[in-house]
Amino acid sequence: MSSIFSKIVKGEIPSYKIAETKDFYAFLDINPLAKGHTLVIPKKEVDYLFDLKDDEYAGLQLFAKKVALAIKEVIPCTRIGVAVIGLEVPHAHIHLVPINGMGDLNFANPKLIIDAAEMKLISENIAKAFQNYL
Ligand code: 5GP
């Protein structure tokens, strides 16, 4: 059975898309720790990030770097925090979270409720900024 993220890649489940290449996809986390909290995934369905082949892993990290730079252009923050959790969705992914302090990357924090119009605007703005990194 396809993972929920594979369904997102195929467009079977909607997402607030940030960027896409032949092999990778980036979209807003639906339960964000911060505005602009983004998930970066390989389209290939692999459960655990560190099971990716070296070239796939390196490619994903380079894609994540460009997405992170785009997020930083749009969301006022000190850094883009990077986290790998993977306890909920068995499809490799990297969290990119705008942070201003260490506590902002605590996944036990309450998640933000952001309405659809704002999520759409955030994703469109980051997607536009991403064009600078192609
Ligand atoms: P993890 O597997 O890293 O523990 O957590 C998975 C992340 O995926 C969570 O932050 C959760 O909010 C996010 N997530 C789960 N289902 C969906 C979904 O259908 N759409 C989006 N955009 N994010 C999701």
Side-chain angles (χ1 to χ4, degrees), residues 4-5 8 27-31 39 85-89 93 95:
I4 197 154
F5 289 172
I8 283 174
F27 56 105
L28 291 182
D29 192 304
I30 206 71
N31 289 308
L39 301 173
I85 313 288
L87 292 173
E88 184 188 326
V89 178
H93 55 280
H95 293 261

Side-chain angles (χ1 to χ4, degrees), residues 89-105:
V89 178
H91 184 139
H93 55 280
I94 298 168
H95 293 261
L96 299 175
V97 186
I99 58 170
N100 294 298
M102 200 123 70
D104 295 342
L105 203 54

Side-chain angles (χ1 to χ4, degrees), residues 4-5 11 28-29 31 34 38 49 51 53 59 61 64-65 69 79 86 91-92 113 125-126 128 130 134:
I4 197 154
F5 289 172
L28 291 182
D29 192 304
N31 289 308
T38 296
L49 183 75
D51 284 336
K53 291 189 206 147
Q61 290 288 0
K65 175 183 173 183
L69 291 170
R79 296 286 191 206
H91 184 139
I113 295 168
N125 287 340
I126 300 172
K128 197 169 159 203
F130 180 80
L134 291 177

Side-chain angles (χ1 to χ4, degrees), residues 2-78:
S2 289
S3 75
I4 197 154
F5 289 172
S6 288
K7 289 182 179 163
I8 283 174
V9 168
K10 285 186 244 167
E12 293 169 9
I13 292 177
S15 67
Y16 297 99
K17 179 173 153 181
I18 302 287
E20 180 175 14
T21 68
K22 179 171 71 66
D23 296 318
F24 309 115
Y25 193 87
F27 56 105
L28 291 182
D29 192 304
I30 206 71
N31 289 308
L33 277 174
K35 286 182 183 180
H37 179 170
T38 296
L39 301 173
V40 178
I41 66 170
K43 290 182 175 176
K44 179 178 166 185
E45 198 171 313
V46 170
D47 177 352
Y48 187 44
L49 183 75
F50 300 118
D51 284 336
L52 288 169
K53 291 189 206 147
D54 285 358
D55 60 330
E56 296 166 342
Y57 179 77
L60 182 67
Q61 290 288 0
L62 287 173
F63 179 66
K65 175 183 173 183
K66 293 176 186 175
V67 173
L69 291 170
I71 297 169
K72 184 76 173 62
E73 275 191 29
V74 171
I75 306 291
C77 61
T78 308

